[in-house]
Amino acid sequence: MAAVVTVLAFTPTVAHIGPEIGDLPRRDPGGIGAVVGAALTLAMCLPLAVRSRMPAVCLSVVGTAFAIGQVLSYPDTFGKVGILLALYAAGAHLVRFRRGLAAVLTAGYAVLTVALHNLGSPQRFPDFVAFYLVLVVIWLAGTGMRRWRSEEAERRRLAAEVAAATERARIARDLHDVVTHHVTAMVVQADAAQFLLDSAPERTGTGLRAISDTGRRALTELRTLLGILEATGEAGTADRTPAMGKVADLVERARLSGQPVEWTEQGEQLPRSVDVELATYRVVQEALTNALKHATGNPTKVMVRHGKDHIEVEVITLGPVVGDTATPSGGRGLTGLRERVRMLGGDLVSGGLPDDGGFRVWAVIPGSPT
């Protein structure tokens, strides 16, 4: 900006264009006067290079040079535009002593108008007031830009805080899902192993291997979540989160834990976004966890229906239910899943079944194929 204004100030075609207030008779600067005139022009142009870092200094130097040029009645120069640019920059970038500087500039302008009037300026009082109002409007325009930048920075900060809180809540839900599911499965498998140890010792090894496998899977998923928290960036989210292809693995692990599960999948499985697939996985995982925890050994039906623009999940556990699965310990299970599904534009409904009892979890999750 400083370079452009300087070049234009010495370009004959536009050199004479610039804001003027004194309109005193022009003197013909020759010799030393030409050198002084050039110095004043440079003083109105070059400080613009620091207008954002040192706005008060820039405006003071440019304003002083502008006032001296008006009083000495040097020829018009494009460099006088520097006073407008410096004024805008001060309004936009000055942080401290804004009111003090504004008062000093106003007083300085008042002194300049008196001096110009005494030197025979043809301008009248309304003309000086009008020029002052123009300067005020330019200052306020810079102030408005400063306020807009401040509000935009605040909006970005708040958005970042909301995003961080949302991510923490998501990770907390995932931690709950992982720990609850795998630990519940390990407890059920341990009880089964204890039963086999008393009744069929030769089959105890199978139960212990199931506990070991479940523990390893829990450690793997926990390491994944800790990796997300550490933001190591070693793998993309899509590579580390459970996908639709692993829902069947959930069913198989529930069967190994002694839960009779009937697995049904309808429609063509289409690639969905990571959020949709993970939500589907978590719904099935939480429902099976509740079945293992509160209705061990009861028949359970898992149905996943793939639609064109949504996925429907239904998990039904038959028979009497011990405890209240709608409000699992910690208050995060189905409640957290309901929030996750609703954030995706879907819905989750859970509740007991009439007649012979049982429990049903149903969810519909919108998501077009990717």
Side-chain angles (χ1 to χ4, degrees), residues 209-293:
R209 282 193 296 272
I211 297 174
S212 177
D213 291 342
T214 302
R216 288 191 179 93
R217 282 190 293 269
L219 289 174
T220 299
E221 292 197 36
L222 287 174
R223 289 192 188 101
T224 297
L225 291 174
L226 291 176
I228 296 175
L229 284 173
E230 294 172 356
T232 58
E234 294 177 358
T237 304
D239 297 330
R240 300 184 300 187
T241 52
M244 282 299 301
K246 296 186 178 181
V247 172
D249 296 341
L250 286 173
V251 174
E252 186 60 31
R253 290 199 293 270
R255 289 169 177 168
L256 291 176
S257 300
Q259 190 76 4
V261 181
E262 179 184 338
W263 160 244
T264 304
E265 189 171 18
Q266 300 176 0
E268 180 183 359
Q269 181 175 324
L270 302 172
R272 315 275 181 172
S273 68
V274 173
D275 291 337
V276 173
E277 293 195 359
L278 182 58
T280 304
Y281 181 93
R282 294 304 187 199
V283 169
V284 177
Q285 184 182 56
E286 179 65 22
L288 290 177
T289 300
N290 285 338
L292 286 169
K293 185 190 301 183

Side-chain angles (χ1 to χ4, degrees), residues 1-2 4-6 8-9 17-20 40-49 51 55 57-67 77-90 131 135 138:
M1 178 68 72
V4 169
V5 175
T6 302
L8 293 177
I17 302 175
E20 180 66 33
L40 289 175
T41 300
L42 292 175
M44 287 184 285
C45 300
L46 297 182
L48 295 175
R51 67 191 184 280
V57 174
C58 173
L59 182 57
S60 299
V61 174
V62 173
T64 302
F66 177 82
T77 171
F78 189 85
K80 294 179 180 179
V81 173
I83 184 64
L84 307 180
L85 298 175
L87 195 63
Y88 176 86
F131 190 82
L135 299 181
I138 294 175

Side-chain angles (χ1 to χ4, degrees), residues 82-259:
I83 184 64
L84 307 180
L85 298 175
L87 195 63
Y88 176 86
H93 300 287
L94 187 63
V95 178
R96 302 176 61 188
F97 308 116
R98 293 176 61 86
R99 294 183 179 180
L101 180 61
V104 170
L105 293 175
T106 300
Y109 183 79
V111 173
L112 175 61
T113 57
V114 172
L116 292 175
H117 177 73
N118 293 336
L119 291 173
S121 173
Q123 303 289 352
R124 297 181 178 274
F125 178 75
D127 300 322
F128 289 118
V129 173
F131 190 82
Y132 176 77
L133 293 178
V134 170
L135 299 181
V136 171
V137 168
I138 294 175
W139 171 281
L140 293 178
T143 301
M145 175 58 68
R146 177 175 178 272
R147 184 177 295 110
W148 178 85
R149 284 200 303 262
S150 176
E151 292 174 352
E152 185 65 21
E154 181 66 13
R155 281 194 294 268
R156 287 196 296 267
R157 184 187 67 81
L158 292 176
E161 289 182 357
V162 170
T166 301
E167 183 66 9
R168 286 195 296 269
R170 185 190 68 80
I171 293 174
R173 289 194 297 266
D174 285 344
L175 282 171
H176 168 271
D177 294 340
V178 170
V179 173
T180 302
H181 175 77
H182 290 297
V183 171
T184 298
M186 292 171 68
V187 169
V188 173
Q189 291 163 353
D191 291 341
Q194 180 65 40
F195 175 78
L196 292 175
L197 182 63
D198 298 332
S199 59
E202 69 279 359
R203 298 177 55 191
T204 303
T206 302
L208 294 177
R209 282 193 296 272
I211 297 174
S212 177
D213 291 342
T214 302
R216 288 191 179 93
R217 282 190 293 269
L219 289 174
T220 299
E221 292 197 36
L222 287 174
R223 289 192 188 101
T224 297
L225 291 174
L226 291 176
I228 296 175
L229 284 173
E230 294 172 356
T232 58
E234 294 177 358
T237 304
D239 297 330
R240 300 184 300 187
T241 52
M244 282 299 301
K246 296 186 178 181
V247 172
D249 296 341
L250 286 173
V251 174
E252 186 60 31
R253 290 199 293 270
R255 289 169 177 168
L256 291 176
S257 300
Q259 190 76 4

